[in-house]
Amino acid sequence: LEYCSALNDGQCETLRAHDTGAPVFLDTGSLGGETTLDDLLDTGIKELKYMKAHTSPRKARGASMGAKFRNFRRETLDMRWDDGSKEGVYSGDLAGLGRTSTLSYDGHTFFFMLHGEEVARFRMNSDENVYIIEPLPDDHEVRNSDQYKAALEERTFMRDYAKRTGVPWLAFYPRPKPILNMWPAEFLGQTHVVASPHAYTHEEGIAEGDLALSLQVVSHAPQGPRVFLVREMLSQFECDHIIEMGTKVIRESMVGQGGGFKSKTRTSRNGWLRRSASPTLERIYKRFGDVLGIDHELLSSNRNAEELQVVRYQQSQEYAPHHDFGDDGTPEQRFLTLLLYIQLPDKGGATSFPKAADGRGLQVVPARGDAVLFYSMLPDGNADDLALHAGMPIHEGEKWVCNLWVWDPVRK
Ligand SMILES: O=C(O)CCC(=O)C(=O)O
Ligand SMILES: [Fe+2]
C-alpha cells in the first residue's frame, strides 16, 4: 500500500494485479462521491475547462442519432434525404438485401427510390434506430430468411434498450460486454494509482524502480463519457523520441498513398509507429499495459491494438468532433483511446468533449507527457455516444499527439 499512503487518506483498496506483477490500487475517495466539476476546478486543476457557461438540456431538440437501415428488397435503392425539395438530396445507394448506417437528427426524413418510385420513407426518431425496408409481400424466401428475422429481433432489442437505458444502441448487434479491463469512473476526482515497473527512459538511460502513475476521473457516466487524466505518462526524452521517429513516418505518409487526400474534418497529418520500432517505444508500451490494466502483450497490431498513430497539427489545423468507434457491421470495435500529448501548441489545440458534464462540454489541455484515457464503449458493450471529442484548432505553434487505439474483444 506504499503508493496509496502517499495520497494520505488510508482508503485504498487493491483492485487487481495483472500479469506484469504491477500492483494496482484504488483510492476510493480523496474527494468523496459527491464531487462536482466545480469542486474539481476548485482544487486548482489547470487542465480542465467547461466549454459552455450553462447546462443545456441533455435531450435537446434535433439531437443527433445513429440510424441503421436494412434493405429487404432485392434491388439496390437510391437513398435520399428529404430537404423539402421534390427530389431530395442523394445520400448513396443501398444494395439489395444490404445495410447502411448514417448519423442523422431527430425529425429528419429519408426516402428510398427504385426506378423513380418511392418504396420507403422514414422520419428519424431518436427512440428508434433500426429502419427496415420490408420485403415484397409475396417474397416468402426473404420473409422467412434468418437475416430478416434477425433484423426484426434487432429492432425489438433496440426499442427495448432505448426505453430501458434512455440512450440508443449504437454498436453492432449483438455484441457481448467488453472483456478488457475498464477502470471504474464513479465520481469526479476519483483516482486510481498504478505502479509500473517500466519506469521512464531519460537521456542518461532507464530510471530504476517502480513508477507510480495516477488516473484521475475528469468525466464519468451518466453525465458524460468516462475520461481519465494521466499525468506524466511519458518523460521529456520519450516525447522527443516520438517526435523524432514520428517526423519520418509522417513524411512517408505525405508522399505515400492518400498523401494528397484533404479532409475538411481532419486537417492534421499522421503516420504510424510499430511498438517494436525501438527499445524505448517497447518499454513505453509495457507501461501502457500497466496504466490500462491490460496485459501489454495484447497491445500489438496482431492482437488488440492498432499501431501507435502519431498526429501533427500545424497552425489552424483541427479535428472536428467525431467518435473513434464506427459501426462497420461487425462486433469488433475500438474500445478505448489513450491519447498522448507529445507537444503542446502555444495557443489553442485543446481536446474537447462537447457532450461531457451534462452537455456543458469539457476542454482538456494537459501538459507535455500527460495522457488522456477515454472509453468509447459502455460496460454493457454499447458504444458511448457521449465519447464524442475533437482536437480544437491550433492558433499558434504546433501540436503533436499520439493515439493508441485498443479494440475489444480483438482487433479486426
Ligand atoms: O488532437 C486531439 O486532441 C484529438 C485527436 C483525436 O481525436 C484523434 O486523432 O482521433
Ligand atoms: Fe479521436
Side-chain angles (χ1 to χ4, degrees):
L1 292 175
E2 201 182 338
Y3 295 104
C4 288
S5 53
L7 292 168
N8 229 355
D9 61 8
Q11 289 193 62
C12 300
E13 164 193 334
T14 303
L15 261 192
R16 66 190 288 247
H18 59 91
D19 55 340
T20 60
V24 175
F25 303 111
L26 172 62
D27 163 17
T28 50
S30 45
L31 285 163
E34 299 299 313
T35 319
T36 65
L37 188 54
D38 291 314
D39 296 335
L40 197 58
L41 295 173
D42 285 345
T43 67
I45 186 165
K46 302 186 305 297
E47 295 87 348
L48 299 179
K49 244 187 355 213
Y50 282 122
M51 294 175 74
K52 301 183 207 106
H54 299 289
T55 314
S56 62
R58 181 93 169 277
K59 227 177 179 181
R61 257 160 56 89
S64 71
M65 55 175 283
K68 300 162 193 277
F69 299 96
R70 305 277 187 267
N71 182 12
F72 287 99
R73 295 287 295 262
R74 293 170 185 260
E75 306 90 351
T76 295
L77 306 175
D78 182 9
M79 176 170 170
R80 289 172 180 271
W81 171 57
D82 187 354
D83 67 341
S85 70
K86 192 164 153 283
E87 63 282 5
V89 179
Y90 172 72
S91 313
D93 286 346
L94 175 52
L97 305 177
R99 56 194 285 165
T100 189
S101 60
T102 184
L103 270 181
S104 185
Y105 297 87
D106 243 348
H108 281 201
T109 297
F110 289 92
F111 58 97
F112 293 85
M113 303 289 287
L114 175 63
H115 310 313
E117 297 245 350
E118 184 177 311
V119 299
R121 171 176 286 265
F122 303 105
R123 186 163 191 266
M124 300 297 100
N125 165 357
S126 49
D127 295 330
E128 178 86 313
N129 57 340
V130 181
Y131 297 89
I132 295 176
I133 297 161
E134 295 293 332
L136 289 174
D138 59 355
D139 192 344
H140 300 294
E141 196 189 332
V142 170
R143 279 192 181 274
N144 291 320
S145 68
D146 290 345
Q147 287 85 340
Y148 180 59
K149 285 179 195 150
L152 295 179
E153 191 207 307
E154 181 180 19
R155 184 170 65 186
T156 305
F157 167 84
M158 298 217 179
R159 280 179 185 159
D160 290 349
Y161 184 87
K163 209 176 282 164
R164 185 159 45 84
T165 65
V167 297
W169 180 271
L170 296 174
F172 178 78
Y173 173 79
R175 100 124 266 152
K177 292 178 181 174
I179 57 174
L180 297 178
N181 178 53
M182 201 169 177
W183 292 120
E186 292 147 328
F187 56 89
L188 291 164
Q190 183 181 26
T191 304
H192 309 307
V193 184
V194 177
S196 172
H198 308 103
Y200 300 130
T201 304
H202 295 297
E203 198 109 42
E204 315 79 56
I206 292 163
E208 303 236 335
D210 283 3
L211 183 63
L213 289 168
S214 61
L215 294 99
Q216 187 177 27
V217 174
V218 297
S219 168
H220 62 90
Q223 293 89 343
R226 291 168 170 81
V227 186
F228 298 82
L229 180 63
V230 188
R231 291 195 181 80
E232 298 178 22
M233 177 82 222
L234 301 172
S235 69
Q236 299 300 311
F237 173 84
E238 289 164 342
C239 291
D240 290 339
H241 179 72
I242 288 175
I243 289 183
E244 196 184 311
M245 311 245 302
T247 303
K248 292 180 209 152
V249 292
I250 285 173
R251 199 181 301 129
E252 281 163 24
S253 79
M254 283 169 67
V255 295
Q257 220 202 356
F261 173 73
K262 279 226 160 50
S263 155
K264 269 198 215 118
T265 54
R266 192 179 197 188
T267 49
S268 54
R269 293 284 186 183
N270 65 73
W272 301 85
L273 287 176
R274 216 177 276 277
R275 67 177 281 181
S276 58
S278 77
T280 298
L281 214 50
E282 185 63 35
R283 189 173 178 79
I284 292 172
Y285 263 79
K286 292 181 177 158
R287 192 182 310 143
F288 290 163
D290 298 333
V291 165
L292 300 175
I294 295 172
D295 180 357
H296 79 83
E297 303 270 3
L298 296 178
L299 305 180
S300 64
S301 53
N302 58 351
R303 302 293 290 273
N304 287 67
E306 293 171 58
E307 289 178 359
L308 191 65
Q309 187 184 53
V310 189
V311 187
R312 186 199 64 195
Y313 299 82
Q314 289 170 323
Q315 180 89 10
S316 82
Q317 293 182 333
E318 66 177 313
Y319 195 175
H322 64 280
H323 291 115
D324 283 355
F325 61 82
D327 174 13
D328 55 1
T330 65
E332 294 85 13
Q333 269 202 38
R334 278 187 184 158
F335 167 64
L336 66 77
T337 303
L338 184 65
L339 185 61
L340 308 166
Y341 294 82
I342 305 298
Q343 183 175 312
L344 276 300
D346 299 316
K347 252 199 211 147
T351 302
S352 70
F353 293 89
K355 295 191 176 184
D358 252 331
R360 275 186 81 171
L362 195 62
Q363 283 185 32
V364 192
V365 192
R368 181 177 208 236
D370 292 349
V372 162
L373 162 66
F374 61 91
Y375 294 99
S376 280
M377 208 177 274
L378 295 169
D380 64 6
N382 191 10
D384 190 359
D385 176 49
L386 303 184
L388 188 80
H389 60 282
M392 298 181 73
I394 311 300
H395 298 309
E396 231 176 274
E398 252 189 36
K399 171 185 169 191
W400 289 68
V401 292
C402 289
N403 284 297
L404 178 71
W405 282 304
V406 180
W407 290 60
D408 182 281
V410 290
R411 184 183 164 207
K412 201 184 66 194

